[in-house]
Amino acid sequence: MAAKKATKKPNVSGDTLKEYYREMLLIRRFEEKAGQLYGMGLIGGFCHLYIGQEAVVVGLEAAAEEGDKRLTSYRDHGHMLACGMDPNGVMAELTGREGGYSKGKGGSMHMFSKEKHFYGGHGIVGAQVPIGAGLAFSDKYKGNNRVTFTYFGDGAANQGQVYETFNMAAIWDLPVIFVIENNQYAMGTSQQRSTSTPDIYTRGAAFGIPGEVVDGMDVLAVKEAGEKAVMHCRAGKGPYILEVKTYRYRGHSMSDPAKYRTREEVQRVREERDPIERVREMLLTGKHASEEDLKAIDKEIKKVVNESAEFAKTSPLPAESELWTDIVA
C-alpha cells in the first residue's frame, strides 16, 4: 500500500523531486544490503541502520551549501551517502577493509571525510553535540558564513552535555543547527516513558534558542524547515533547534529484536507514512515520472549498491602496519 498522498503540491521541480527520490532510495537500498552483509558475518561489531529515516538527512542536505559541516551519532551511513561520500568507501569501512574511509579501522560508527565536511560518526551517546558547537565556533571565528548540522537522537537529548552545549552556543551566538532525530524509541524506550516534554525542541527556550518540530517523514517539509534554520544561523542570530519526528523500521541495532513495539505499529507507519513512497506518489500523480522511470532508478541504485558490496568484499584487510598510523597520542 502506498503512503498517504501529500496534502500540498511540491515546492520543487519534478527533476529535483526525482533527485530526492534517488538519494533516499540509495540510502534505503544501501542499508538493506548492509543488513544482508551483517547477517552473512561480513560486518562485525555494531551496525545501526537508517531505514525509515531517509527524508531527514536528504531534506536537510538540500538546505545546506558547500562548506557547511555535519556530524552525527553511530546511525550514520545515511548521512555519509547524503553528503556525497562514495558508497564503495562507506561499505568497505563497514566490512573493515583497507578501502574504507577510515582504512578499515573505524567500522560502522567511526568514519570521517574532510573533503565532504563530514566529521563522524560518534559512538558515545551525545558526544558529537559539543564537537558540533566547536566546529561552529571555528566558523564564527573565521567569519566564513558556514553552518554546522549537529544530529543527535531523542535518547541523547537527555544527556547533560547537550544542555551545556545549548548554553554555550546561545551565549556565543554560534551558527549551529541542533537536529534532534526523534525516532521515538531511542535505544528501546519510548519517548513517553523517558522524556518529560512531548516536544523536545522546547527545551531550548530556557537558553533563548528558537526551534520547531517538523514531520521527518516528509522530505519537502524537512527541506523547508532546514532552509529557515539555515537562514537564521547565517544571519548571525545564533543556534536553532529542529526536532525532526521520524521513525526507524529496524531495531536500534542489528542485534536488537525490537520487541518493545508491535509489528502492526511498524507496518502501519510503512503503509501510511513511508518517506520514499510519499515522494514516489508525488512523482507519479504529478506526472514527473512514470512507473518505468522509477523502476529504472531502482535498477540503477541496486547496481551502485551491489558494486559497493563487491568492492568491500574484494578490498584487502588493513595491513598490520596500519595499527600504528593515524594515532593521536
Side-chain angles (χ1 to χ4, degrees):
M1 184 183 298
K4 288 183 177 178
K5 295 181 181 179
T7 55
K8 295 194 302 182
K9 289 184 178 180
N11 57 358
V12 298
S13 69
D15 287 342
T16 299
L17 195 63
K18 200 182 299 183
E19 187 58 33
Y20 296 164
Y21 179 80
R22 180 180 284 105
E23 290 173 4
M24 289 193 291
L25 195 61
L26 172 61
I27 296 171
R28 178 73 58 92
R29 296 289 182 250
F30 184 94
E31 294 291 66
E32 289 170 349
K33 179 61 71 172
Q36 291 175 10
L37 296 184
Y38 189 94
M40 294 166 63
L42 296 175
I43 295 176
F46 292 101
C47 185
H48 305 79
L49 303 182
Y50 203 64
I51 297 174
Q53 300 184 210
E54 298 90 352
V56 179
V57 71
V58 171
L60 289 178
E61 282 295 333
E65 293 182 1
E66 177 60 35
D68 289 341
K69 301 176 177 62
R70 68 277 295 159
L71 70 167
T72 187
S73 64
Y74 36 74
R75 196 181 307 281
D76 51 5
H77 316 151
H79 302 74
M80 299 171 196
L81 297 174
C83 74
M85 290 170 66
D86 184 1
N88 286 2
V90 178
M91 194 69 86
E93 189 60 44
L94 289 178
T95 55
R97 303 303 179 110
E98 186 179 72
Y101 269 98
S102 295
K103 301 179 183 178
K105 299 185 291 184
S108 174
M109 297 192 289
H110 303 105
M111 281 182 254
F112 302 82
S113 173
K114 185 177 180 181
E115 178 189 10
K116 297 298 182 181
H117 307 286
F118 180 81
Y119 292 90
H122 294 268
I124 304 300
V125 176
Q128 72 275 17
V129 181
I131 296 173
L135 290 168
F137 181 90
S138 172
D139 286 332
K140 182 171 182 180
Y141 185 82
K142 295 172 183 175
N144 59 17
N145 204 34
R146 298 275 65 85
V147 169
T148 297
F149 292 85
T150 302
Y151 295 84
F152 57 101
D154 48 301
N158 290 323
Q159 290 282 322
Q161 59 194 324
V162 171
Y163 300 99
E164 294 179 45
T165 304
F166 281 179
N167 185 52
M168 295 171 74
I171 290 172
W172 294 333
D173 290 327
L174 300 183
V176 54
I177 301 172
F178 296 108
V179 184
I180 305 171
E181 294 197 74
N182 186 351
N183 62 34
Q184 304 171 53
Y185 284 99
M187 287 185 69
T189 303
S190 69
Q191 182 189 342
Q192 289 76 16
R193 294 181 57 206
S194 65
T195 306
S196 62
T197 47
D199 291 325
I200 304 174
Y201 82 92
T202 58
R203 296 181 179 182
F207 306 94
I209 303 176
E212 61 182 294
V213 65
V214 60
D215 180 3
M217 308 300 271
D218 182 342
V219 68
L220 298 182
V222 175
K223 173 182 177 288
E224 185 177 353
E227 288 172 341
K228 179 180 177 182
V230 165
M231 189 180 301
H232 174 92
C233 289
R234 293 204 208 281
K237 297 180 180 178
Y240 199 90
I241 300 175
L242 282 179
E243 180 180 355
V244 190
K245 294 201 174 180
T246 183
Y247 197 89
R248 56 173 165 78
Y249 297 158
R250 301 291 185 91
H252 172 70
S253 69
M254 287 297 295
S255 60
D256 173 19
K259 293 182 178 180
Y260 40 80
R261 58 186 182 182
T262 65
R263 291 183 180 179
E264 291 75 17
E265 176 185 313
V266 178
Q267 187 61 28
R268 185 171 63 252
V269 176
R270 277 186 176 272
E271 292 179 351
E272 298 179 0
R273 300 183 61 215
D274 186 80
I276 298 176
E277 284 298 318
R278 180 178 296 197
V279 174
R280 184 178 187 277
E281 188 71 23
M282 283 191 285
L283 286 169
L284 292 173
T285 57
K287 301 188 184 305
H288 303 298
S290 65
E291 289 279 4
E292 290 70 27
D293 294 332
L294 299 184
K295 286 179 181 178
I297 292 174
D298 196 17
K299 183 178 179 180
E300 169 200 335
I301 293 301
K302 285 179 178 176
K303 183 175 184 291
V304 170
V305 170
N306 287 335
E307 287 176 353
S308 75
E310 189 61 29
F311 176 82
K313 291 175 185 177
T314 57
S315 182
L317 293 169
E320 186 175 342
S321 59
E322 276 294 335
L323 286 171
W324 311 108
T325 63
D326 305 312
I327 295 174
V328 178

